[in-house]
Amino acid sequence: MIITFLVIGVILSTTASFVFGVPQLMPILGAAVPYPIFFLRVRRQQYKSAFWWMLLWGVLQSIAVIIATAISPETAAKVILRGQSYTTEMLHWIRTGEGTEGSLGSFLPDHLLYYGIFCILCVVTLSSMALIFGTWMLNYMNFYVTELVKVSTKPWLAAILGWYPWSILRIIGFIATGVALAALGLNLVTRIRGEVPKSPFPKTYMLIGIGFVIADIVVKAVLAPIWQKLLLSALS
């Protein structure tokens, strides 16, 4: 039942985003699909279920955006915020080796800033705005992957390499963090009401989230130069 809801929801939200053509609307519609499921699971302390459903939604959302971008690239360029600029930035890095991707000192501040914003939004909005923020990042990454495959001389290799391993680690880290901090936000709301929280803070998921975000940084610092050369071979 939930799988069917997510599949239909992802298809409808992506289609509506392309039809309406309002860039700011796309991450909101995308995030609106899984949030009720996520929130209900966290509220019931079903943290494992919340984590895995969100991970499945991330896969479905990626597939939908990739297909939609492949079918209608011009519309995708208009409605996916930062899609074109991120693609231009990544293709320049692949072709020249220049850019923030291959330099720890350059990408680390942005990584920490994004994670900090995400954490604050998780607590303050019970992960609702954080999910919109994450959907925005997920969408422009998938736009880039689609464009990368399209301009590559070896599209099969570009398809395999397009989603960076460190980006996958980051998504897992953000989802686990979202679960933990949404629970923390609910506990804070309970205390504001003058009641005692019924559930303890799920620190295991917070530690998992932080661990994967750190792994994202380490893996990116080590693999990015290697990945750039592999992607260059796919382009040329």
Side-chain angles (χ1 to χ4, degrees), residues 4 38 51 58 107 146 168 185 203 217:
T4 302
F38 169 82
F51 174 83
F107 73 70
T146 309
I168 296 172
K203 60 182 180 181
I217 294 169

Side-chain angles (χ1 to χ4, degrees), residues 20-233:
F20 293 145
V22 181
Q24 294 78 7
L25 191 60
M26 186 168 185
I28 296 174
L29 291 177
V33 173
Y35 186 72
I37 298 168
F38 169 82
F39 180 77
L40 187 60
R41 292 298 183 279
V42 172
R43 190 174 182 180
R44 292 177 177 175
Q45 303 173 43
Q46 298 172 339
Y47 304 126
K48 183 177 180 180
S49 177
F51 174 83
W52 285 108
W53 282 124
M54 286 304 302
L55 198 58
L56 175 61
W57 166 81
V59 173
L60 295 173
Q61 176 73 7
S62 296
I63 293 172
V65 171
I66 287 172
I67 293 174
T69 301
I71 293 173
S72 185
E74 292 183 1
T75 303
K78 295 177 182 177
V79 300
I80 298 179
L81 292 167
R82 209 194 165 204
Q84 281 192 311
S85 61
Y86 182 74
T87 299
T88 299
E89 179 184 334
M90 289 299 98
L91 291 178
H92 177 74
W93 168 65
I94 293 170
R95 287 168 175 147
T96 66
E98 300 172 353
T100 60
E101 285 297 293
S103 170
L104 176 62
S106 296
F107 73 70
L108 184 58
D110 285 344
H111 274 45
L112 296 179
L113 175 62
Y114 282 7
Y115 188 60
I117 292 172
F118 183 83
C119 288
I120 292 171
L121 291 175
C122 282
V123 177
V124 175
T125 70
L126 305 180
S127 289
S128 59
M129 288 297 295
L131 181 54
I132 294 173
F133 183 64
T135 304
W136 164 64
M137 292 189 287
L138 186 66
N139 287 346
Y140 71 67
M141 181 67 185
N142 285 308
F143 178 92
Y144 152 68
V145 171
T146 309
E147 291 297 298
L148 174 68
V149 171
K150 186 170 68 175
V151 301
S152 297
T153 58
K154 301 172 185 174
W156 61 271
L157 183 58
I160 294 173
L161 299 173
W163 258 101
Y164 310 141
W166 56 86
S167 296
I168 296 172
L169 293 174
R170 188 182 316 155
I171 289 172
I172 296 172
F174 272 49
I175 291 175
T177 298
V179 170
L181 294 185
L184 175 62
L186 282 171
N187 284 349
L188 290 176
V189 170
T190 302
R191 289 187 181 279
I192 291 172
R193 292 175 176 173
E195 303 172 4
V196 178
K198 297 180 181 180
S199 59
F201 173 62
K203 60 182 180 181
T204 299
Y205 281 89
M206 192 68 219
L207 292 174
I208 291 172
I210 294 172
F212 271 89
V213 169
I214 292 173
D216 155 37
I217 294 169
V218 173
V219 170
K220 184 172 183 176
V222 174
L223 287 186
I226 300 172
W227 223 255
Q228 180 259 331
K229 292 180 175 58
L230 292 172
L231 286 168
L232 183 59
S233 70

